[in-house]
Amino acid sequence: MKWVKFLLAAVFCTSLFYVLQFPIGQTPAVGNFLNPFGGFWQNNTRQDELFTRYQVQGLKAEVKVVWDERQVAHVFAENDHDLYMMQGYLTARDRLWQMDFIARAAGGRLSEVVGERALELDRFRRRTGMVYAAENSLAATSDAQSKLVMEAYAKGVNRWIATLTPDQYPLEFKILNYQPEAWTPLKSALVLKYMAWDLTGRNDELQMTRTRQLLGDSLMNEMFFKDSDLQRPIIPRNTAWPFEALSPPPAPESLVEIEPLAMNMLLSPDPDIGSNNWAVSGEKTKSGHAILCNDPHLALRLPAIWYEIQLHAPGVNVYGTSIPGAPAVIIGFNENISWGVTNAATDVMDWYEIEFRDDAQSEYLYDGEWLQAKQRLETIHVLNGASIVDTIPMTRFGPLVYNAAEKSFSSNVPTGMALRWTAHQPSNELRTFLHLNRATDYDTFTHALSFFDCPAQNFVYADNQGNIAIHHNGKFPVRWQHQGRYISDGRDPAYDWKEYIPREHLPKVKNPEQGFVFSANQRPTDMSYPYYLGARYATFERSMRIHERLNEMQNITVEDMMVLQKDNQNLRAEAVLPIMLDVLEMQGVSLAEARDMDLLRSWDFSNERDEVGPLIFDTWWSNFHALVWEDEVRDQDEVLSTPVSEVTVNLLLSDTASIWFDRRDTAERERLGDILSQSFAETSQQLTEKHGLFGDDWQWGKARGTDILHMAQIPGMGRTGLETNGNRAIVNATSKRFGPSWRMIVEMGPEIRAWGIYPGGQSGNPGSQYYDNMIDDWVAGEYYPIVFLKSADEASEDIIGTSVFSNTLAP
Amino acid sequence: MIMLILHLLTPFWWWVMLIPFINSVIRGASALRSFGSGFVSAGLLWTAMALFLNISFTREVVPRVMAMTGATSFWMLVLVTGIVAGLCGGFASLCGFYLRDIFRKQPVPEVS
């Protein structure tokens, strides 16, 4: 009897132990998680505490860190080793889990910690050659300075990890139930490649190839590649090109054709990712000093994408944002120059159809010969499961991402094809940032850019001598017209990348007559530029608005620049809405529709949060655009991408009687009015269905809103339902998930003055008061004055303390 | 007390099971009292620590964990923490007492 009692109790206790000790499904291990001595209760503001002295073994000299009230670290070191070691140490202090997670995600190692549900994602990362790219990049990181920086940074991160006891682990480690592991330079390289994929990894060659087969070349030109009067290229139109261009290779006689795709993707082809940057010369500013502005638009996340830092050592004093996991400042300024970036959007990624000799995939046909494909092995460890060894055939173009029989992880990634991507080739982008951080003038700036291959960017520049410039910079193959717009033939050498555009031939402009330079991911040049670069640039709205405003502004102040970064003018609506409404008015409309029309009539084309116009217009536009093009891009069950919105805008502006408005799938001849009234009726109905009867819920800020989700999408760790202004294709490009991830304004001159804000906070700890402390101000459109110190002892009222870091604790 | 020290020194949560278990093996009086002392000591310890951390430091992490777990109030989270520890302590302690009971020569008179 006693034995039975004991056994029952023992079994029960053991089960209790098991339930609490091990994670079940996606629930964290409850025992560890709840334990107030080690679990989540420990991740509170105590982790924000700052001490006056820290011991960091391995530092060569004392390092002083001055903290400002947003907990931005201003690091004052006596040598580069200590500087970057401290950057690693401090970034890890604030963002360790984020760094770890991005490096795992980039390197295809999430399955190790979350199990099988991440396997296809991991496989996708490995197959697209992320690890291969990072290894190549690391091999190219051969100059002494870059090596020292990479290693010192990793050493700093590891010093921080060594100080941690499990109760101090970042919250997400406790939720996901794993431990931090040592940082390596390879991880930094992976983090940079992750950014490269984020910015250049969008590709629609598959759909475009089918669309071309459906429409033919002349319509393709009409619908996808046309320059228009609306476009304001980065380099002012009619700029002469002072060089003898290399001649493009001959184009093949016919292009690759493929089988119909089993897909229905009536997507908006307008990209969300984009950015603005500009610089105005002293002649246009009130102070007489140049002003530089940058706001990169990315998928917003918590912990925030950026980490602010000031890095000071002999030969360098730079302030700006860094990427957790990578050394140096990516966007920022020093005492002499400032710089910012937008995505170049030039084509740096092609897909090649590969013909293998047999299923072994070890030989493939190229130029009439069978070439060997090296087999690259990738081992993926899976939590609570067997490890998987993936074999990737490596062709002369790059990795074969999926073989023809496999299912692709992403609809944009074709099967049976090899990926050629400039990010795979050895390059050392870190070197660009190390040089930019130390650049003193235009020449040193230009020299710094020569190391930057991928992700290609528009680098804007301003200095304290009054110069401004912008460079469309990266490694670009010399292409025949539209090469890489469609699937390439891996058998035919005509599709090869033979040489690259020399750096000195890349589009750039310094001190143009107009007194400003700018970019918004638009077409870099007019059609006179002798090289073909690509055809997936941003539509006209942001670039036209920035151009228009900068052009008319004089005596510009920093406040004017803040207003422009937050500008909500909807140029598309301004251009087409009056026409659309006039035509619609001639059709009969219902009572509810008449009200919606009135609301649109009284709207001032501004995407402010309390307006209802943006919601009605945005919905109407999507419906209208889809209705115009769906019949053209549909072939039985296959629905391909529609042209970009700018084509529809041009059509409305130039040819309201166009044949495009006719629906091919009906017997009648529809006219613009029919399409407008049909799409408007749909719109009124949809709005009521989705947002209820007309009322406050129709306001743009509420109806659209912005969600900043946690990186691992853990509920409660993000911020949702933010009532923001703006939209994609508006200077203030804030949409549901995307937005200005960092707003920066720098006024050059003998004393640099700068402002900045990003949606998040310096700490990655959800229990910290610095986790999301800047979000509300970001929504409100505020900026913080940036504390840019010349020395550690400089007084400033925004400073909350100083810490000394040294190899030993005793002073 | 031992539990507190071990908790502070090591990251293991299961001291709230092991210590009450050992305690009852050594000096468990009755099933009910063993369960009770285990429940109270472990439950109180975790509750007190959770409260201490939230008196000493601002509690930004609590609303986030509430949103994550679906807990509706701070006190609910404290209660769950306390009860989980309590149940662990209680049942482990009970288990310890039954083990002691097997090897005990004669029943100890119930102490009132």
Side-chain angles (χ1 to χ4, degrees), chain B residues 9-87:
Chain B
L9 290 178
T10 64
F12 309 116
W13 66 272
W14 37 253
W15 292 120
V16 286
M17 294 189 86
L18 194 59
I19 300 300
F21 174 80
I22 295 171
N23 184 54
S24 291
V25 170
I26 298 167
R27 47 178 215 175
S30 73
L32 192 67
R33 288 179 64 116
S34 293
F35 181 84
S37 76
F39 187 93
V40 170
S41 59
L44 267 185
L45 180 68
W46 276 28
T47 308
M49 184 61 182
L51 288 176
F52 166 75
L53 287 173
N54 283 283
I55 292 163
S56 313
F57 308 99
T58 51
R59 42 166 108 151
E60 316 262 343
V61 73
V62 172
R64 300 197 184 278
V65 174
M66 276 165 55
M68 185 182 104
T69 56
T72 49
S73 76
F74 168 69
W75 291 105
M76 186 167 157
L77 217 49
V78 176
L79 204 68
V80 168
T81 302
I83 286 177
V84 166
L87 291 176

Side-chain angles (χ1 to χ4, degrees), chain A residues 58 210 397 478 609:
Chain A
R210 281 296 301 155
F397 311 104
V478 178
R609 62 189 124 234

